[in-house]
Amino acid sequence: KLTASEWESGIQTAGKATQLLRQGQKDFFLTVSGLAEIWMKLAQDALNDHRGYIRDDVESPTLAEALAAFKVGWFNIGQNDVERAFILQTAYITQNPHPTGNKHMLDFAPGPEDYHAAHKKYHTIYREILFRREYYDVFIFDTNGNLIYSVYKELDYATNFAADRDGQWKNSGLGEAYREAIAAPDDLRTIDWKPYGPSFGALASFLSKAIMSAAGMVAGVYSTQMPPESKPINCKELLAGTVDSFDRLVEDLKFGFP
């Protein structure tokens, strides 16, 4: 007889088999139809376009002004980074009247603080950029690793991404994007697709570039989370991987014991 846990494990494994078969069917269709190569070209074109956008953005006086305003607002709104994060997450996430997924629709939180004034002035600008370019999100960091602004206000907002701090998401792709931009400020960094926790585990890729001051010093980091359609697909590799995974699953599909 099988125990309840063994039955549950078997049912879950069978479900995985169905999922792998469906994935294999999709990958096979894209491969034999020739759409894989078309998708890959469109994805590469999109990546090239967005790399050009971010290079232009970091040279914009508007971004330099926004960074300066958000840095002042961040510093003045609390006594330390933990307090600042709590205040801003409360204002722009917890007490935001818009539902999850629509927190970006709040133009600014109520109150006389400098941060809210900066948000009122610049949020509509970067929200419009996000919509027009179909980004998943847009981020501005200070040089201490604090995410002092984002459009969508996901759970990464107002957290820290420095390697020597204890931020929850510092080891994510966005953390890599921030640290690589700081380490190589003249370069535009591309972080490849991987699951990203604050976006509910969806695959995410990031572009990042240091924001330079007029004196040539690193003043912050600007980063964008790429739109899903810019993700390249190599369906031949995906199909092979799906078949291998299914083969391994069948080998392990055992409901009894010797």
Side-chain angles (χ1 to χ4, degrees):
K1 292 182 179 181
L2 298 177
T3 65
S5 62
E6 289 167 353
W7 273 109
E8 182 179 354
S9 176
I11 291 171
Q12 291 175 347
T13 303
K16 291 179 182 178
T18 302
Q19 181 181 5
L20 283 170
L21 282 172
R22 290 176 178 170
Q23 182 68 37
Q25 289 173 337
K26 183 194 78 172
D27 296 341
F28 179 75
F29 169 75
L30 288 172
T31 301
V32 300
S33 67
L35 293 178
E37 287 75 13
I38 296 174
W39 186 296
M40 290 175 67
K41 183 180 185 305
L42 291 175
Q44 186 59 51
D45 289 345
L47 176 60
N48 292 338
D49 288 343
H50 288 291
R51 288 175 67 87
Y53 295 150
I54 197 170
R55 288 187 187 279
D56 291 341
D57 287 345
V58 296
E59 298 295 332
S60 167
T62 300
L63 180 57
E65 294 167 3
L67 172 62
F70 281 121
K71 287 172 75 172
V72 169
W74 172 271
F75 182 80
N76 290 339
I77 207 164
Q79 297 299 312
N80 54 61
D81 287 343
V82 173
E83 183 178 342
R84 293 167 187 132
F86 176 78
I87 291 171
L88 291 176
Q89 288 173 350
T90 300
Y92 286 92
I93 299 178
T94 309
Q95 295 182 353
N96 187 327
H98 299 279
T100 300
N102 287 283
K103 301 296 184 182
H104 62 290
M105 297 309 297
L106 179 66
D107 289 344
F108 59 96
E113 289 82 3
D114 294 332
Y115 187 94
H116 304 324
H119 203 278
K120 180 179 181 180
K121 182 174 182 179
Y122 295 104
H123 179 62
T124 54
I125 295 173
Y126 289 98
R127 185 174 61 195
E128 191 277 330
I129 288 175
L130 178 144
F131 287 155
R132 175 160 40 89
R133 299 177 187 167
E134 299 182 328
Y135 288 135
Y136 198 101
D137 211 343
V138 175
F139 312 94
I140 299 176
F141 294 88
D142 67 14
T143 53
N144 294 318
N146 297 305
L147 180 54
I148 59 177
Y149 172 78
S150 73
V151 171
Y152 260 107
K153 305 300 186 297
E154 293 188 321
L155 297 179
D156 48 13
Y157 171 62
T159 64
N160 190 277
F161 288 79
D164 59 349
R165 301 281 291 276
D166 58 356
Q168 182 177 1
W169 312 109
K170 70 176 185 178
N171 294 323
S172 66
L174 184 56
E176 293 179 48
Y178 163 75
R179 292 190 295 274
E180 289 193 11
I182 289 289
D186 293 331
D187 297 338
L188 195 162
R189 310 303 297 179
T190 302
I191 305 302
D192 205 0
W193 298 87
K194 63 184 70 176
Y196 185 56
S199 298
F200 302 99
L203 292 178
S205 174
F206 301 93
L207 299 180
S208 62
K209 179 75 172 64
I211 306 169
M212 308 303 290
S213 70
M217 303 296 291
V218 175
V221 170
Y222 180 68
S223 181
T224 57
Q225 188 171 342
M226 295 288 285
E229 61 270 18
S230 66
K231 181 182 183 299
I233 291 181
N234 187 328
C235 288
K236 294 178 182 178
E237 291 182 3
L238 282 177
L239 181 58
T242 302
V243 172
D244 288 344
S245 297
F246 186 73
D247 286 344
R248 289 194 299 271
L249 185 64
V250 172
E251 290 286 336
D252 295 336
L253 193 61
K254 298 177 181 179
F255 285 87
F257 295 91

